[in-house]
Amino acid sequence: MPFRVNLRLLDEDEEALQLEGDVPVEEYGTDLVDPLMRFAEPLHYKLTVDKQPDGILLQGTLTAGLVCECARCLKSFKLEIKIDSFAALAPLTGEGALVQEEDFGDLTPFLREDIYLALPTNPLCKPECRGLARKASTRDSRLEAAAGEGPTPWAALDQLKL
Ligand SMILES: [Zn+2]
């Protein structure tokens, strides 16, 4: 099920609604075309939903889970995207307005957008991943030898200090 709210209920109720639930991958994640990343878990939302004069205000937390391949070492790993202070306004009219069907408005696109924006451009199994090539010891020694011949990063730093 997409994330839909009963707009009439929001109209009648002056209190904001507290909503928590999951949007399955097929409802939010299938547009991700990336050879290194795919959504593997439902998009979980925990939100305050409040009707404002100019739209529906959503505030809360979003989490989504992906299976990725590291861009450097090709290892498969899980990545969790978490947005702690998510906030979006779903306009009721005009451009980009909430899609309404009878009493229900579909809020899924407003959650999706921020999750997609939070995706890494290059997924890495860990920030300091050095990739496959340098793991081989023969390669390591060659790199060290090469580094000894030319100026080292430390030399460059020394020059900066002068
Ligand atoms: Zn890696």
Side-chain angles (χ1 to χ4, degrees):
M1 280 252 305
F3 176 33
R4 307 201 307 163
V5 289
N6 187 325
L7 298 171
R8 184 175 291 182
L9 200 67
L10 278 176
D11 271 339
E12 288 164 2
D13 194 348
E14 293 199 359
E15 301 260 313
L17 292 177
Q18 306 289 331
L19 298 176
E20 183 168 4
D22 293 302
V23 179
V25 172
E26 56 267 29
E27 297 283 356
Y28 83 95
T30 48
D31 290 340
L32 176 62
V33 184
D34 190 307
L36 298 179
M37 292 186 278
R38 67 179 171 84
F39 287 104
E41 283 165 36
L43 165 55
H44 186 76
Y45 57 84
K46 190 174 181 187
L47 298 171
T48 304
V49 181
D50 195 14
K51 178 126 189 260
Q52 307 262 318
D54 47 353
I56 310 283
L57 181 65
L58 308 167
Q59 285 176 296
T61 324
L62 302 179
T63 39
L66 296 107
V67 170
C68 301
E69 231 171 74
C70 176
R72 289 189 191 145
C73 73
L74 301 180
K75 193 169 82 181
S76 176
F77 68 102
K78 282 187 173 182
L79 177 71
E80 185 183 74
I81 302 269
K82 184 166 190 195
I83 304 173
D84 279 318
S85 47
F86 167 74
L89 185 75
L92 293 167
T93 54
E95 204 179 321
L98 186 65
V99 175
Q100 297 173 42
E101 210 175 293
E102 295 175 2
D103 288 340
F104 288 89
D106 186 0
L107 294 168
T108 315
F110 300 93
L111 310 188
R112 258 177 49 127
E113 194 177 324
D114 279 40
I115 287 290
Y116 276 72
L117 286 175
L119 294 175
T121 29
N122 274 322
L124 296 178
C125 61
K126 49 182 190 251
E128 69 276 19
C129 174
R130 303 178 73 188
L132 279 177
R134 293 188 187 184
K135 276 187 183 165
S137 56
T138 51
R139 174 94 185 188
D140 269 349
S141 57
R142 265 191 294 158
L143 281 173
E144 276 162 30
E149 290 161 12
T152 67
W154 297 113
L157 276 179
D158 284 343
Q159 283 181 346
L160 280 177
K161 280 176 200 158
L162 294 172

